[in-house]
Amino acid sequence: MTKYSFSRLETFHNCKRAFYNDYVIKQRGGDNVYSYCGTVTHELAQGIIQDTETNDGAVSKFIEAIDEMELMGLEWMSDKVRDNYVEAVTHFLNNYNPDQNDTYRIEDYFEIEIGGYVLRGYIDLWYRVGRKIYIVDYKTSTKFSAKDLPKKSRQLILYGIHLSEKYPDYEIILQFNMMKYVLKKGKLYERVKLDIFDEDYPDGILEVNYTDEAVMEVKEYVTNTIKQIKQMSDDKNEWTMDKDPKRDFFCKNLCGHRLKCLSEI
């Protein structure tokens, strides 16, 4: 039985041609600056949690990774975007001080069956406090709009479904740690806008409501998407370019197949 990752479903909706390249003919696209930096930052934050990494050491390794990435030829949208990103992540790593907790589970593998299909993946971080389970997804992206939050929360809710089935007596708390932000007066505030006189603010934690309605929506999204995927053939022409590789932000900055698509139009 095919086991689906959530990113696989997301790729199908972002661009069918990218899905065709990645999963049908299995020619995976390359990294981009955001996926590369996001992976590095996640690993360093997890090292701080596990006490295998110091804050200063994490910052040094992050700067080294930025240099290595640029030597690889991965490009930023602009120097300003680069500088703001590096400053925000550096500030996060310098100040990240997670509470001690013996129940931390990091990059925890899971499988769950939904509608007869198997989903699998890794949960960034989850832990227990009393009768509550906290599930945290780290994000180095820009904060989500109110309109986009429900769809951006689907993967986090999927984690919640898995752990609520495994531990039905616990309350599920879902959180994004928006790493480029702090929480100031109850709202997400960009780290790059802080000054030296600002007090230490808590991490930019964004809580997501775990409701029956949200669970149902995610289950329907999963089953409907997989049904659509299974209805597709191996004919490349059926897997359309859903975006313009010359203009679309996703194509120009995030997709590893852009050059290939440009050569085909």
Side-chain angles (χ1 to χ4, degrees):
M1 176 183 289
T2 301
K3 296 178 181 180
Y4 295 85
S5 66
F6 190 82
S7 61
R8 186 170 183 165
L9 309 188
E10 290 287 89
T11 300
F12 180 78
H13 286 290
N14 282 330
C15 180
K16 292 182 179 63
R17 180 60 60 84
F19 186 100
Y20 174 82
N21 289 327
D22 283 346
Y23 299 106
V24 179
I25 62 174
K26 294 179 172 50
Q27 295 180 3
R28 301 302 294 265
D31 268 322
N32 59 68
V33 291
Y34 302 104
S35 62
Y36 185 92
C37 291
T39 298
V40 170
T41 306
H42 276 62
E43 290 174 352
L44 293 172
Q46 290 163 357
I48 294 173
I49 294 170
Q50 294 170 313
D51 208 23
T52 59
E53 196 71 71
T54 65
N55 295 87
D56 289 343
V59 170
S60 296
K61 289 180 180 179
F62 175 70
I63 298 302
E64 289 173 5
I66 294 295
D67 292 340
E68 291 174 4
M69 180 199 71
E70 292 173 349
L71 288 173
M72 291 164 54
L74 299 180
E75 298 180 353
W76 297 89
M77 291 174 59
S78 68
D79 289 342
K80 182 178 180 181
V81 169
R82 177 200 186 278
D83 293 344
N84 284 346
Y85 189 104
V86 172
E87 181 181 347
V89 172
T90 299
H91 187 275
F92 171 84
L93 294 173
N94 250 327
N95 293 276
Y96 189 42
N97 185 28
D99 293 333
Q100 294 297 312
N101 189 304
D102 293 335
T103 68
Y104 281 140
R105 298 291 298 272
I106 295 173
E107 288 297 315
D108 192 33
Y109 179 79
F110 75 95
E111 291 186 6
I112 184 173
E113 183 176 326
I114 294 179
Y117 304 112
V118 177
L119 274 290
R120 66 178 180 179
Y122 293 87
I123 302 174
D124 282 358
L125 171 68
W126 70 271
Y127 59 95
R128 301 193 311 272
V129 177
R131 302 302 295 177
K132 296 181 180 179
I133 288 178
Y134 288 80
I135 308 172
V136 183
D137 196 4
Y138 289 92
K139 293 295 181 185
T140 53
S141 62
T142 301
K143 67 180 180 180
F144 309 132
S145 67
K147 178 182 177 181
D148 286 342
L149 183 59
K151 65 180 181 181
K152 295 293 186 181
S153 302
R154 283 172 177 151
Q155 188 170 19
L156 197 51
I157 291 168
L158 182 66
Y159 299 159
I161 295 171
H162 165 66
L163 288 176
S164 67
E165 290 183 359
K166 192 172 182 180
Y167 303 103
D169 296 331
Y170 283 78
E171 179 184 354
I172 300 295
I173 308 295
L174 305 179
Q175 297 179 333
F176 286 115
N177 188 326
M178 306 301 292
M179 302 168 88
K180 296 193 298 183
Y181 299 82
V182 296
L183 207 60
K184 184 176 181 180
K185 297 181 180 179
K187 296 183 178 181
L188 293 177
Y189 187 82
E190 293 180 59
R191 291 180 183 269
V192 295
K193 293 183 178 179
L194 297 172
D195 61 45
I196 60 174
F197 299 108
D198 270 314
E199 61 185 272
D200 291 333
Y201 291 103
D203 289 342
I205 299 297
L206 175 63
E207 291 208 352
V208 172
N209 292 327
Y210 185 71
T211 64
D212 292 341
E213 292 77 13
V215 168
M216 183 62 67
E217 194 277 334
V218 168
K219 288 183 176 181
E220 289 178 353
Y221 171 82
V222 167
T223 54
N224 290 340
T225 301
I226 295 176
K227 287 176 182 178
Q228 292 176 53
I229 292 171
K230 292 175 74 68
Q231 289 172 356
M232 302 288 285
S233 72
D234 290 343
D235 182 358
K236 179 179 178 179
N237 294 322
E238 191 174 343
W239 300 86
T240 56
M241 295 182 197
D242 296 334
K243 305 177 188 297
D244 183 348
K246 293 182 179 179
R247 295 189 175 91
D248 183 76
F249 176 86
F250 173 84
C251 294
K252 292 173 66 176
N253 299 285
L254 302 178
C255 183
H257 300 290
R258 178 171 180 262
L259 294 179
K260 183 176 183 179
C261 289
L262 285 172
S263 71
E264 295 175 353
I265 60 174

